[in-house]
Amino acid sequence: MKLILMTKPTFFVEEDKILSNLLEEGMDFLHIYKPDSSPMFTERLLSLIPEEYYKKIVVHGHYYLKDEYGLRGIHIDNPEAKPPLGYKGKFSRTCNTIEQLRDAKKGTEYVFLKNMFGNSSEQEKIQGFTTEQIADARKQGLIDRHVYALGGVNIDNLKEIKQMGFGGVVICGDIWRRFDIHQQQDYKDLLNHFCKIRKIVD
């Protein structure tokens, strides 16, 4: 399975160092997700990441950065939206439902299936899809190596996702909750956790 990390929606001081280290540790793709932010800040972040990793980076906005920095591609968050007029490079997109997958997979490098595990807490776990729905979608050829699970993905459900036939996982909260952007500078725990995830995904 491919291992994708989505950034926090806000910028923070140690971000470029953490992202560079995670890319060095074997992250497959990095998705820069900074909604409503100025492109200037994304450009600054990119300038602090070694150029050798640009081919692993995908942007969710400010699409011109793809060509300006030689990035891997762009990501379209709206399942109904089309790539920018005249766009020729790689792109991926997000789907909210299994039904959207059939059309969304056409022409895309890969697709995120959102809300895979919904929201979770210590008391309850709300799953976006039942095991039966995922199994049925796999039988129909909708879940395959080009579809990545997004939402509630953590180190405890990675093996289950692998068995479901997904081609990758998108990690967000399970990584970022291990680093307090306001109080911490040491991110060893975050890196160690990522390495554990990497071993399971491999």
Side-chain angles (χ1 to χ4, degrees):
M1 283 198 305
K2 295 292 186 184
L3 178 54
I4 290 88
L5 177 74
M6 193 176 295
T7 64
K8 290 180 71 67
T10 53
F11 296 91
F12 59 95
V13 176
E14 303 291 332
E15 187 169 22
D16 63 286
K17 298 183 186 69
I18 292 175
L19 296 178
S20 297
N21 272 277
L22 292 175
L23 284 160
E24 186 179 344
E25 289 292 341
M27 183 201 313
D28 289 302
F29 307 136
L30 168 65
H31 276 242
I32 297 182
Y33 175 70
K34 304 289 185 181
D36 306 317
S37 66
S38 165
M40 176 180 68
F41 296 114
T42 301
E43 287 193 34
R44 183 177 184 280
L45 176 61
L46 285 168
S47 72
L48 295 170
I49 296 174
E51 289 184 26
E52 63 190 281
Y53 298 127
Y54 286 177
K55 291 298 183 184
K56 291 186 170 189
I57 297 177
V58 176
V59 285
H60 283 236
H62 313 310
Y63 292 153
Y64 74 91
L65 295 171
K66 187 266 178 189
D67 288 331
E68 190 163 314
Y69 285 84
L71 306 180
R72 181 175 191 87
I74 65 172
H75 187 88
I76 302 168
D77 290 300
N78 182 348
E80 308 298 326
K82 295 180 180 179
L85 191 64
Y87 181 76
K88 301 291 184 184
K90 292 179 180 178
F91 70 95
S92 52
R93 62 166 69 247
T94 297
C95 285
N96 299 318
T97 67
I98 289 172
E99 290 71 29
Q100 291 171 339
L101 283 174
R102 194 179 303 278
D103 288 333
K105 287 167 67 177
K106 295 173 183 175
T108 59
E109 186 180 12
Y110 50 85
V111 177
F112 292 170
L113 182 58
K114 195 176 179 181
N115 300 322
M116 182 60 204
F117 286 95
N119 298 314
S120 62
S121 68
E122 290 182 6
Q123 280 78 29
E124 61 178 343
K125 184 174 283 187
I126 305 167
Q127 191 163 328
F129 305 98
T130 65
T131 305
E132 291 75 20
Q133 285 175 312
I134 296 297
D136 185 54
R138 188 179 182 184
K139 284 179 186 175
Q140 294 179 52
L142 296 176
I143 303 290
D144 58 21
R145 64 190 180 90
H146 299 293
V147 180
Y148 301 172
L150 166 66
V153 177
N154 60 52
I155 199 165
D156 297 320
N157 54 36
L158 287 173
K159 289 181 180 177
E160 182 182 353
I161 293 169
K162 209 171 188 177
Q163 291 168 353
M164 289 176 175
F166 283 91
V169 289
V170 186
I171 303 288
C172 305
D174 196 42
I175 284 287
W176 294 120
R177 73 171 57 100
R178 291 161 208 285
F179 181 78
D180 186 333
I181 64 172
H182 302 293
Q183 297 182 8
Q184 279 182 274
Q185 289 185 322
D186 186 338
Y187 44 86
K188 285 180 183 175
D189 287 345
L190 182 153
L191 290 178
N192 288 338
H193 189 71
F194 177 84
C195 290
K196 291 175 184 176
I197 290 173
R198 175 81 268 176
K199 286 178 182 177
I200 297 172
V201 170
D202 288 342

